[in-house]
Amino acid sequence: MARYTDDRAFTDCIHKNIAIPQIYNSIGWQKVNLEQEFAEQIDIYKGIDYVFRDENGELKTVQERFRESKYQNYSDFTIRYRRDENPHAARRESEYYKMKAGYFTYGITNCLKSNLAQCTDFIKYAVIDLKKVYEKIDQGLIVIRDNKENKCKIVDNKIICPIKHNHDGSSSFFPIEIPFLVRLWGDEIIISQKGFL
């Protein structure tokens, strides 16, 4: 339980103090205040952490993930895939299957979770259009494959993404290289970014 509490405190702090002013304000997205029970429901069942309204009044649903500075050498973002060891069959499919958020905000901070007071900036961040990522997956242009590889590759103008397993066996995930998305599809998928290119 302590790990979840630490992760939540880290994410909440980064969202409020860094992501709102540095990411969302800069792209003209204003946070929509939701009733708490509704917010919890869309988080649990649809993988939506926050809802924003853009300058045209259009709603933007967002999933967020923030990582510590020790991950700064990575140029991918990750989506949780499966939890095959979960004793509850209904909980084995992870965020890849349930996520209905339209956008994914992924950031690497300039601090460690153990030192939140030093968190002042992002080393890297990207706002990714998830609808377009899922379209590319459906079109076979992004391929998720349990191929024992460590990183994504571009093969025949497709991104081949490996399924990775967490060391503790709790779950699996797949990375997608942000520079590969830009190389193949330009600015079509990345709404805003810093440090990934």
Side-chain angles (χ1 to χ4, degrees):
M1 186 67 171
R3 182 165 180 248
Y4 173 79
T5 305
D6 292 346
D7 288 349
R8 188 79 251 166
F10 174 74
T11 298
D12 289 347
C13 177
I14 300 307
H15 169 77
K16 179 180 175 184
N17 298 316
I18 307 176
I20 292 284
Q22 293 189 24
I23 299 175
Y24 301 116
N25 288 351
S26 72
I27 59 175
W29 291 9
Q30 297 298 313
K31 188 173 170 184
V32 175
N33 292 317
L34 303 174
E35 190 273 325
Q36 184 176 349
E37 186 176 330
F38 177 71
E40 289 172 3
Q41 293 297 310
I42 63 173
D43 181 19
I44 293 167
Y45 296 107
K46 297 189 175 188
I48 296 170
D49 292 329
Y50 298 101
V51 177
F52 293 85
R53 192 178 303 279
D54 72 10
E55 293 169 331
N56 299 318
E58 186 178 332
L59 292 178
K60 306 289 186 180
T61 54
V62 176
Q63 164 86 211
E64 287 185 341
R65 178 149 324 114
F66 302 126
R67 310 291 298 272
E68 302 172 89
S69 56
K70 65 184 180 181
Y71 295 100
Q72 66 184 298
N73 292 329
Y74 292 93
S75 58
D76 56 31
F77 74 101
T78 59
I79 296 178
R80 293 182 190 111
Y81 191 55
R82 297 190 56 85
R83 300 176 187 279
D84 288 326
E85 302 304 317
N86 194 305
H88 304 284
R91 297 181 189 167
R92 291 182 186 150
E93 292 183 343
S94 196
E95 77 186 4
Y96 168 71
Y97 297 94
K98 73 174 185 176
M99 191 157 30
K100 304 296 182 213
Y103 299 87
F104 195 102
T105 299
Y106 193 81
I108 311 292
T109 64
N110 68 343
C111 65
L112 298 173
K113 288 179 187 175
S114 59
N115 215 335
L116 274 177
Q118 292 184 352
C119 288
T120 59
D121 201 354
F122 288 108
I123 297 169
K124 301 176 178 181
Y125 74 78
V127 180
I128 299 139
D129 187 327
L130 269 184
K131 296 182 299 282
K132 291 183 178 169
V133 169
Y134 277 73
E135 284 172 13
K136 301 296 184 193
I137 292 170
D138 290 344
Q139 294 165 356
L141 298 173
I142 296 175
V143 179
I144 303 158
R145 186 176 290 163
D146 198 358
N147 59 7
K148 311 302 183 214
E149 297 283 336
N150 284 321
K151 294 185 170 236
C152 296
K153 294 180 178 177
I154 294 179
V155 178
D156 297 327
N157 290 320
K158 297 176 183 178
I159 302 176
I160 310 300
C161 302
I163 296 171
K164 307 277 294 166
H165 299 271
N166 286 313
H167 298 298
D168 62 4
S170 62
S171 63
S172 61
F173 63 93
F174 61 91
I176 300 178
E177 290 285 330
I178 291 170
F180 289 1
L181 293 173
V182 174
R183 185 183 311 169
L184 292 180
W185 299 296
D187 294 333
E188 177 185 342
I189 292 179
I190 307 300
I191 305 304
S192 178
Q193 73 86 32
K194 167 187 169 181
F196 278 103
L197 302 177

